[in-house]
Amino acid sequence: MKKLLLTGFEPFLAFTVNPTMKIVEELDKSIIGEYEVTSRVLSVDFKKAGAQLLRYIEEIKPDAVISLGLAGGRYKITPERIAINVKDGAADNNGHIPVDESIQLDGDPGYFSTLPIRLMVDELTKQGLPAAISNTAGTYLCNNVMYEALHYAKLNNLSMPCGFIHIPASHELAIQHGKIPSWSHVDLKRGVEICIGVL
């Protein structure tokens, strides 16, 4: 049985709950396709999240890594195509606001996802869930951890598929925030399970 490291994030900014946190907790130790899932929740902290992810990779030695993030405002599940070597944007949960910072000083400008993102999107839409490839993971924590995993895999010459998938807000968040698209928790979780199954 292959091992999958699946990560989500804690709540952040104005989002008092994070559906990725609930999904990864529920999927921990489950078996999907060829993979046994090991789940971890990352801090929304520019100084900690990347190091946490790399520590989990070294501890678990997974065959693949999928990180999940909330994209409040998106209405589709969106596997990310590329991560860029930049930290910038809104404050993290400890108030840190990086401006034009590199994630890795010796890293490439960007890394493409090594997940089968096109197949994931095709399978999601085939099973009735709106999906599309996203060409920007932004410059917040989602991009940060995606970049760190891909950089680590390259440095260590690992044939370990890794990448990032953004999911829409849950209904719970939409009720709190008003005019943002939302999905049921059941569909969000099913979408993640479908993506893992494609591996």
Side-chain angles (χ1 to χ4, degrees), residues 150-169:
L150 290 162
H151 180 69
Y152 181 89
K154 181 184 178 182
L155 278 185
N156 292 280
N157 198 29
L158 298 175
S159 57
M160 177 182 70
C162 48
F164 199 94
I165 300 171
H166 269 118
I167 66 171

Side-chain angles (χ1 to χ4, degrees), residues 141-186:
L141 268 298
C142 299
N143 174 77
N144 196 151
V145 299
M146 179 180 176
Y147 185 94
E148 289 277 31
L150 290 162
H151 180 69
Y152 181 89
K154 181 184 178 182
L155 278 185
N156 292 280
N157 198 29
L158 298 175
S159 57
M160 177 182 70
C162 48
F164 199 94
I165 300 171
H166 269 118
I167 66 171
S170 60
H171 292 333
E172 184 178 2
L173 284 174
I175 289 168
Q176 291 180 18
H177 287 270
K179 297 181 180 179
I180 61 171
S182 64
W183 286 29
S184 72
H185 175 72
V186 170

Side-chain angles (χ1 to χ4, degrees), residues 9-15 18 43-46 49 69-70 83-84 86-98 103 136-148 164 166:
F9 280 108
E10 65 185 0
F12 66 103
L13 300 177
F15 299 105
N18 192 327
S43 302
V44 178
D45 184 321
F46 279 106
L70 167 66
I84 60 173
V86 176
K87 289 188 282 189
D88 194 279
D92 65 18
N93 280 354
N94 287 311
H96 178 58
I97 306 174
I103 297 171
T136 176
T139 53
Y140 197 53
L141 268 298
C142 299
N143 174 77
N144 196 151
V145 299
M146 179 180 176
Y147 185 94
E148 289 277 31
F164 199 94
H166 269 118

Side-chain angles (χ1 to χ4, degrees), residues 91-112:
D92 65 18
N93 280 354
N94 287 311
H96 178 58
I97 306 174
V99 178
D100 300 336
E101 292 180 14
S102 295
I103 297 171
Q104 291 287 345
L105 292 176
D106 62 342
D108 290 357
Y111 293 113
F112 286 106

Side-chain angles (χ1 to χ4, degrees), residues 95-141:
H96 178 58
I97 306 174
V99 178
D100 300 336
E101 292 180 14
S102 295
I103 297 171
Q104 291 287 345
L105 292 176
D106 62 342
D108 290 357
Y111 293 113
F112 286 106
S113 173
T114 51
L115 298 177
I117 58 174
R118 178 61 64 189
L119 293 176
M120 288 177 171
V121 166
D122 289 348
E123 188 61 26
L124 286 163
T125 54
K126 180 181 175 182
Q127 296 201 34
L129 296 177
I133 291 174
S134 166
N135 292 313
T136 176
T139 53
Y140 197 53
L141 268 298

